[in-house]
């Protein structure tokens, strides 16, 4: 399972890719607007920081298929071929997914609440589908089960599209979709920090160092060898 960052914060991305195995960056209009910076400059900066090979998912804001197609093509032309055009799944979106994917443009079908939306987007040619786990949970359905159903259906019908589970508010949701075999999760900065860290790990490290220092003082192994 890949870890992706759901953020438009360039400084966070810069640090995170230095330290962690990050498989891609996802954004949406709300995430970008939160940065309150020039859109084009922000995306260009993100692309520069992550390099030309990492997948960057940029969502369209146009709403009719013709405009979505035009916007999608311009997004890829300006931000590189490893940019996935994120398109919300509705009638116009599905038409645009068909057109763009038939022209070799990678599409991420987004704002997915049901497994049927994922299936039809994938049949239309989407390379990735993004079910919204927390938003589904908030509707009193189980987001992780929806993710699991999508994975099952893709296997059943031999569909190659990958599932990027999105919209998380807590670690348990991430854990649950991992158990269901999600290909990727995309999480914001706050949640990502909680994926790898644990206060008990920190206190264990502190104890190891205290025990070591009682016998060896401040010496490091690298200086003993
Ligand atoms: C990512 O692709 C989605 O746009 C994002 O995860 C939605 O998250 P939210 O429900 O926290 O807005």
């Amino acid at each position: 399972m890949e870890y992706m960052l759901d953020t438009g914060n360039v400084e966070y991305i810069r640090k995170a890719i230095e330290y962690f195995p990050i498989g891609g960056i996802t954004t949406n209009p709300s995430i970008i607007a939160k940065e309150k910076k020039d859109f084009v400059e922000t995306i260009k900066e993100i692309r520069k920081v992550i390099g030309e090979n990492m997948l960057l998912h940029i969502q369209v804001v146009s709403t009719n298929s013709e405009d979505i197609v035009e916007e999608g093509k311009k997004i890829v032309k300006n931000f590189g071929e490893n940019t996935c055009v994120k398109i919300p799944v509705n009638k116009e979106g599905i038409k645009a997914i068909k057109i763009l994917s038939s022209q070799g443009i990678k599409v991420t079908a987004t704002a997915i609440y049901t497994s049927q939306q994922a299936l039809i987007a994938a049949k239309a040619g989407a390379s990735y589908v993004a079910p919204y786990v927390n938003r589904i949970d908030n509707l009193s359905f189980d987001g992780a089960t929806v993710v699991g159903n999508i994975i099952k259906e893709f296997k059943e019908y031999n569909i190659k599209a990958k599932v990027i589970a999105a919209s998380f508010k807590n670690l348990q949701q991430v854990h649950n979709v991992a158990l269901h075999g999600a290909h990727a999760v995309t999480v914001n900065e706050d949640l990502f920090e909680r994926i790898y860290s644990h206060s008990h790990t920190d206190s264990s490290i502190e104890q190891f160092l205290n025990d070591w220092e009682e016998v060896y003082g401040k010496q490091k192994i690298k200086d003993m060898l």
Side-chain angles (χ1 to χ4, degrees):
M1 187 183 79
E2 299 268 23
Y3 289 104
M4 299 190 176
L5 294 175
D6 203 20
T7 183
N9 182 327
V10 184
E11 284 322 308
Y12 186 79
I13 294 170
R14 194 191 307 278
K15 271 280 160 234
I17 63 167
E18 185 186 345
Y19 281 81
F20 305 108
I22 302 297
I25 309 295
T26 59
T27 65
N28 65 32
S30 311
I31 287 171
I32 292 294
K34 198 173 129 200
E35 298 302 313
K36 294 195 171 25
K37 293 202 306 209
D38 181 85
F39 168 74
V40 176
E41 286 312 310
T42 303
I43 303 297
K44 276 190 177 160
E45 231 186 312
I46 294 176
R47 174 52 82 203
K48 198 169 156 204
V49 163
I50 65 177
E52 59 186 31
N53 294 328
M54 191 181 282
L55 286 184
L56 173 59
H57 304 252
I58 313 272
Q59 190 165 325
V60 295
V61 291
S62 290
T63 51
N64 72 67
S65 56
E66 248 175 56
D67 291 346
I68 296 172
V69 167
E70 185 187 344
E71 202 162 272
K73 284 182 182 170
K74 285 188 173 171
I75 285 173
V76 174
K77 191 168 171 222
N78 281 274
F79 305 124
E81 62 176 340
N82 284 320
T83 306
C84 299
V85 180
K86 264 178 99 185
I87 303 178
V89 175
N90 61 10
K91 196 172 177 179
E92 293 297 314
I94 293 168
K95 182 176 172 191
I97 291 170
K98 269 181 65 171
I99 297 170
L100 285 173
S101 59
S102 73
Q103 295 177 18
I105 289 179
K106 292 189 260 293
V107 173
T108 303
T110 194
I112 286 177
Y113 288 77
T114 70
S115 56
Q116 281 303 309
Q117 285 181 301
L119 196 53
I120 197 163
K123 294 290 288 179
S127 303
Y128 301 90
V129 298
Y132 277 8
V133 177
N134 185 65
R135 295 194 198 198
I136 296 170
D137 285 355
N138 278 342
L139 297 170
S140 275
F141 291 95
D142 183 18
T145 301
V146 172
V147 170
N149 289 341
I150 296 170
I151 307 257
K152 254 190 247 157
E153 287 171 3
F154 282 9
K155 275 192 188 141
E156 180 70 25
Y157 297 112
N158 201 20
I159 287 171
K160 298 278 175 275
K162 292 198 166 147
V163 179
I164 305 175
S167 174
F168 292 102
K169 286 294 166 282
N170 62 61
L171 270 187
Q172 190 59 31
Q173 292 169 330
V174 175
H175 175 60
N176 288 341
V177 302
L179 287 177
H180 278 94
H183 302 103
V185 291
T186 188
V187 295
N188 65 31
E189 303 94 289
D190 293 342
L191 194 50
F192 188 77
E193 291 299 314
R194 280 184 272 147
I195 280 180
Y196 69 88
S197 63
H198 200 292
S199 58
H200 280 265
T201 304
D202 296 341
S203 56
S204 300
I205 294 171
E206 205 181 320
Q207 181 66 54
F208 289 138
L209 292 181
N210 288 340
D211 293 345
W212 172 267
E213 281 177 17
E214 271 183 30
V215 177
Y216 302 106
K218 294 283 180 201
Q219 290 186 90
K220 299 275 185 291
I221 294 174
K222 68 184 176 70
D223 302 322
M224 293 172 159
L225 299 172

